[in-house]
Amino acid sequence: MLAYAPAALLFLVFCVSVLLERRKFSNAVVLGLAVLCALGALLYRLVSSESPSVPYVVGALVALAAVALLVLVCFLFLNGVRMLRKEGRSPAHLLSLLAAFAVLGVVALLVAAAVLRTPVLIGVAWAAGGLALYFSFLFLCFVCYAFLYGRLQVRRKADFVVVLGSGLIGGSTVPPLLASRLKRGREVHERLSRRGGSPVLITSGGQGPDEKLPESHAMADHLVAEGFSADLIQREDRSRNTEENLRFSKEIMEAAKPDYRCVVVTNNYHAFRAALIARRVRIRGQVVGSPTAAYFWPNAMLREFAAILVDYRQSNAAMCVIIVLGGVAAWWAS
């Protein structure tokens, strides 16, 4: 059982960290490390058991991993094609396709290095494989913890419900993506009201260069048209991105009630990154997500992950340098 001690310790650290502050990316990494240590301990016990079935089990695991990789590539490719058909050709809609080709490229490079065994190829394959494992691990941590975060209970009381904007169709019409946020915001508002509160709903979004009015105004009009009371709506109409959404909404909330609590509403794929930003700007509240079309979710999650990598660019750059240096060392030793 001693082999499982690191996994148990990491899981304990994860639980304590979530209780203290759930809006941290380090929570995702610690959870991922705990699972990785548990799997490593399980594999160690399996190999050290000296059972005659060990080679068959290891072979089955390798075959399963290969099949899973093939399924992943096919899924990413098909999702990328569907995104282009439904959402149009845009760099932001190519991430699923790019991820599929990146996986194929790394696999091809590893196979070429194993077959040809030239020093340069071995070094490049070590670096590419290391980078692929590093980013794959972080992405799995991100997806799993984002899933868990989205299912944490909303606090019983809040003074404000903040709905983040996401762009308008034709410069004035609320699109389905934003309508789902508004619907979720209204549901949260009604639930808080039933608990005895009287929260204010803040629609947050400024006016883009191609929009006829601020997003917050279109959002408020949409809510009123759906029967929501205009007296319960306040508009934040200066922001241009998620961080400004939260900063300017924070100013409104602090002016009305310095010790406020709030619930921020966005789409489910965006909820965890919005929570990280909310922590950075010191928003006192939790972020919840509204449903998103299934075909849209994988590409959107890849985009959110890329944005998080940029947010933590210094630590990621340091890790990439270390991995690349490992590839150089492998080339030198070949």
Side-chain angles (χ1 to χ4, degrees):
M1 295 301 292
L2 190 61
Y4 293 97
L9 179 60
L10 284 168
F11 186 71
L12 178 62
V13 171
F14 165 76
C15 292
V16 172
S17 183
V18 170
L19 287 173
L20 294 176
E21 174 56 83
R22 61 184 67 174
R23 303 171 302 174
K24 293 194 300 183
F25 190 74
S26 60
N27 293 341
V29 176
V30 173
L31 178 61
L33 289 173
V35 173
L36 201 61
C37 287
L39 292 175
L42 183 63
L43 187 61
Y44 170 76
R45 287 178 62 85
L46 177 66
V47 172
S48 61
S49 67
E50 299 182 357
S51 169
S53 62
V54 169
Y56 300 102
V57 174
V58 173
L61 290 175
V62 172
L64 183 63
V67 172
L69 190 64
L70 178 62
V71 171
L72 175 64
V73 170
C74 293
F75 171 76
L76 289 172
F77 182 80
L78 293 174
N79 179 255
V81 172
R82 191 175 183 188
M83 276 292 297
L84 292 178
R85 287 177 177 173
K86 285 185 169 288
E87 302 293 331
R89 296 181 181 180
S90 166
H93 300 154
L94 292 173
L95 292 178
S96 295
L97 278 176
L98 292 175
F101 287 123
V103 172
L104 287 175
V106 171
V107 171
L109 186 59
L110 292 174
V111 171
V115 172
L116 300 177
R117 302 194 63 80
T118 61
V120 173
L121 265 180
I122 290 173
V124 173
W126 266 93
L131 290 172
L133 287 174
Y134 173 68
F135 289 119
S136 297
F137 171 73
L138 288 183
F139 182 70
L140 287 173
C141 292
F142 164 65
V143 171
C144 293
Y145 187 70
F147 177 82
L148 291 176
Y149 180 87
R151 278 147 186 80
L152 296 176
Q153 290 295 319
V154 177
R155 295 182 183 273
R156 294 189 62 82
K157 291 185 179 181
D159 307 293
F160 296 92
V161 177
V162 182
V163 183
L164 306 183
S166 67
L168 303 174
I169 295 177
S172 60
T173 304
V174 170
L177 194 74
L178 184 52
S180 72
R181 296 186 185 186
L182 292 168
K183 181 181 179 182
R184 180 78 162 107
R186 183 174 178 177
E187 291 171 353
V188 172
H189 186 279
E190 291 173 352
R191 188 180 306 119
L192 292 170
S193 298
R194 287 196 299 268
R195 293 173 180 171
S198 55
V200 173
L201 193 149
I202 299 176
T203 54
S204 179
Q207 183 172 354
D210 58 343
E211 294 175 336
K212 300 175 184 177
L213 75 167
E215 293 170 13
S216 60
H217 293 208
M219 293 160 68
D221 293 343
H222 179 88
L223 285 169
V224 172
E226 293 288 323
F228 194 81
S229 174
D231 296 334
L232 298 175
I233 300 174
Q234 194 160 354
R235 308 176 188 192
E236 181 285 299
D237 57 8
R238 295 183 294 155
S239 55
R240 294 167 297 178
N241 54 49
T242 300
E243 184 163 341
E244 290 186 356
N245 284 144
L246 296 170
R247 286 188 185 278
F248 296 149
S249 296
K250 178 186 175 184
E251 291 178 6
I252 293 173
M253 292 185 288
E254 285 184 334
K257 187 175 181 180
D259 60 342
Y260 73 91
R261 299 292 308 182
C262 73
V263 178
V264 179
V265 180
T266 183
N267 285 92
N268 53 10
Y269 65 83
H270 185 236
F272 183 42
R273 187 167 75 90
L276 297 178
I277 298 172
R279 176 174 179 261
R280 188 165 69 236
V281 302
R282 299 184 179 180
I283 290 279
R284 288 194 294 276
Q286 183 181 338
V287 182
V288 300
S290 64
T292 306
Y295 78 88
F296 193 86
W297 189 87
N299 195 83
M301 288 297 286
L302 287 169
R303 187 174 68 239
E304 294 297 303
F305 177 64
I308 288 178
L309 291 180
V310 173
D311 289 340
Y312 294 90
R313 52 187 171 275
Q314 293 182 343
S315 55
N316 285 316
M319 283 299 302
C320 289
V321 169
I322 293 172
I323 293 170
V324 170
L325 289 176
V328 173
W331 164 73
W332 186 264
S334 301

